Amino acid sequence: MVAFEHPHPHGLVPSTAHLELPFFDAHHRQMAPELVAWSAQQQVDETDDRAACRDWLQRLAGGGWLRYCVPAAHGGALPALDSRSLVILRETLAFHSPLADFAFAMQGLGSGAITLAGTPAQQAAYLPAVAAGRKIAAFALSEPDAGSDVAAMATQAVPVAAGYRLNGSKTWISNGDLADFYVVFAKTEPHAGARGISAFIVDARHPGLDSHEHIHVMAPHPLATLRFNDCTLPAEALVGPLHGGFKLAMQTLDIFRASVAAAALGMARRAFAEAVAHAKRRQMFGQTLADFQLTQARLGEMSALIEAAALLTYRAAWQRDCSHTRGAGTPAYTAAAASAKLTATENAQRVIDMALQMFGGRGVQVGQKIESLYRDIRSLRIYEGASEVQLLILGKAALR
Ligand code: COS
């Protein structure tokens, strides 16, 4: 099941064999091969990460794929956000280009709160534009002193006659200084912890918002710090209930955590495909690398790690799509998404490392796919809830 199909003229093509699993429906089985064929035709120059993201977004919009980031009532492909479609999209895109996956995912994560809790006017103003690639979205939750501990955030939104006045900063913001709008989380009741946070839509050019400070990371993608200095927002900028922002952030993350697992899975499958192709080609000691039992055992280990990650990822997405318990408390699929994200990102790191080892010196050569995957995978164990946060979620669920 981890197998890949024959090498495409432009590289390796992922298999869609896993779509036969009972987690998927007919529309998933129809969409996946179309996406695989479309992805294999895309060639984007990724030397400049910001320009490449814009390029990918236009292509993803043109291919109709961004429509999976919003519901059908607002220009989306399906009646509601479908975790399994997101998983298929991210796994396939990440196999080809982690930056394509990033560009896709941020449209969904950045607009997710508006989809879940926006007013009809907010949904009409933002969601069709997100689906068509006319507006770039971003999700602004983390702060310099509040990453895993969301409830510790210090950014404040104080009620004023005109609406709310925002002061503070957000950091590690994906699509920072590229986005057209941000969904920003801020304290509206500073002493109420998780129950005192609200979400707001802030347009990129809004006075009082400074996003010029870019952050450079080992696997380039657009990131910035946002600073709010008396940024006055109209009352209509509030998304969802006042003080209901923590749950809204968690609900949004619940959707996308399973898809981060899928992105990791796509990268692991690509590393595996590269390793298998290399093992069959590479000659040493009078045979191919693949002829060594040591290689076969290593490939077997990689395959098992990938399969474990795949099943948890698909189950988490399926569980969320089929759940009817939205709203009350922490839902059961939160733990499923945590298991999937933890396992898929950790396993992918190991698989990619094993693949790199098989490539020997070439594995660390800049410009080799395996070298960039080695850098690409690392941040997935940190963002959208570090592995330790997933362990915490699982531990709390066990004790409940
Ligand atoms: N869906 C709905 N409600 C949820 C929820 C979920 N997934 N998770 C928590 N809640 C609710 C809880 O039910 C609780 O509700 P009540 O106040 O009514 O009891 C409330 O939210 C607070 O929950 P909890 O006590 O578990 O919150 P903590 O402050 O302990 O935080 C963690 C829990 C650590 C899990 C959370 O802060 C987290 O996910 N942190 C990581 C954040 C992250 O991913 N950052 C990266 C940003 S994007 S790059």
Side-chain angles (χ1 to χ4, degrees), residues 110 138-142 153 170-171 173-174 182-186 226 228:
F139 181 79
L141 184 66
S142 299
M153 69 174 60
K170 294 282 167 185
T171 195
I173 306 309
S174 292
Y182 302 88
V183 170
V184 179
F185 294 83
L226 310 181
F228 301 94

Side-chain angles (χ1 to χ4, degrees), residues 109 139 141-142 146-151 172 174 194-195 246-248 250-251 253-254 257 327-331 333-334 382-386 389-390 392-393 396 400:
L109 184 68
F139 181 79
L141 184 66
S142 299
S148 294
D149 186 3
V150 173
W172 309 115
S174 292
R195 293 181 178 191
F246 183 89
K247 284 190 187 179
L248 187 53
M250 293 303 125
Q251 286 164 349
L253 288 170
D254 273 343
R257 275 180 183 153
T330 306
Y333 56 74
T334 299
I382 299 171
Y383 69 57
E384 288 182 42
V389 163
Q390 309 312 326
L392 222 90
I393 292 173
K396 280 189 182 189
R400 245 193 316 272

Side-chain angles (χ1 to χ4, degrees), residues 68-85:
Y68 287 91
C69 292
V70 311
H74 302 287
L78 298 168
L81 282 185
D82 180 66
S83 292
R84 288 166 295 171
S85 298

Side-chain angles (χ1 to χ4, degrees), residues 126-166:
Y126 291 93
L127 299 183
V130 165
R134 289 194 310 274
K135 277 188 195 291
I136 302 180
F139 181 79
L141 184 66
S142 299
E143 296 191 3
D145 295 317
S148 294
D149 186 3
V150 173
M153 69 174 60
T155 296
Q156 283 198 24
V158 176
V160 291
Y164 297 90
R165 189 184 299 132
L166 218 60

Side-chain angles (χ1 to χ4, degrees), residues 174-221:
S174 292
N175 277 347
D177 209 30
L178 187 74
D180 293 293
F181 71 95
Y182 302 88
V183 170
V184 179
F185 294 83
K187 280 273 170 75
T188 36
E189 189 68 74
H191 305 295
R195 293 181 178 191
I197 293 169
S198 306
F200 300 90
I201 303 173
V202 185
D203 285 321
R205 280 183 290 279
H206 202 84
L209 164 61
D210 177 357
S211 61
H212 84 276
E213 195 179 318
H214 295 187
I215 303 170
H216 302 282
V217 287
M218 62 199 274
H221 73 268

Side-chain angles (χ1 to χ4, degrees), residues 20-71:
E20 293 310 318
L21 289 168
F23 295 118
F24 297 101
D25 292 340
H27 70 94
H28 300 121
R29 295 185 184 111
Q30 187 187 332
M31 167 260 233
E34 291 167 13
L35 175 66
V36 167
W38 179 87
S39 306
Q41 288 162 9
Q42 310 303 313
Q43 291 288 336
V44 167
D45 176 357
E46 296 187 349
T47 7
D48 174 342
D49 54 337
R50 287 175 182 264
C53 267
R54 285 192 186 280
D55 191 347
W56 272 119
L57 278 169
Q58 288 321 304
R59 287 165 188 257
L60 288 163
W65 305 115
L66 293 184
R67 293 169 58 239
Y68 287 91
C69 292
V70 311

Side-chain angles (χ1 to χ4, degrees), residues 309-370:
L311 287 182
L312 285 176
T313 302
Y314 304 149
R315 182 194 66 164
W318 166 81
Q319 200 168 335
R320 188 194 164 274
D321 288 343
C322 300
S323 166
H324 299 291
T325 57
R326 310 263 156 94
T330 306
Y333 56 74
T334 299
S339 280
K341 189 195 179 260
L342 174 73
T343 307
T345 57
E346 296 289 336
N347 286 9
Q349 179 90 59
R350 289 174 62 193
V351 166
I352 293 169
D353 187 56
M354 289 177 196
L356 187 150
Q357 191 71 15
M358 271 192 210
F359 274 79
R362 250 171 289 185
V364 290
Q365 188 182 354
V366 174
Q368 294 287 332
K369 183 67 186 172
I370 213 75

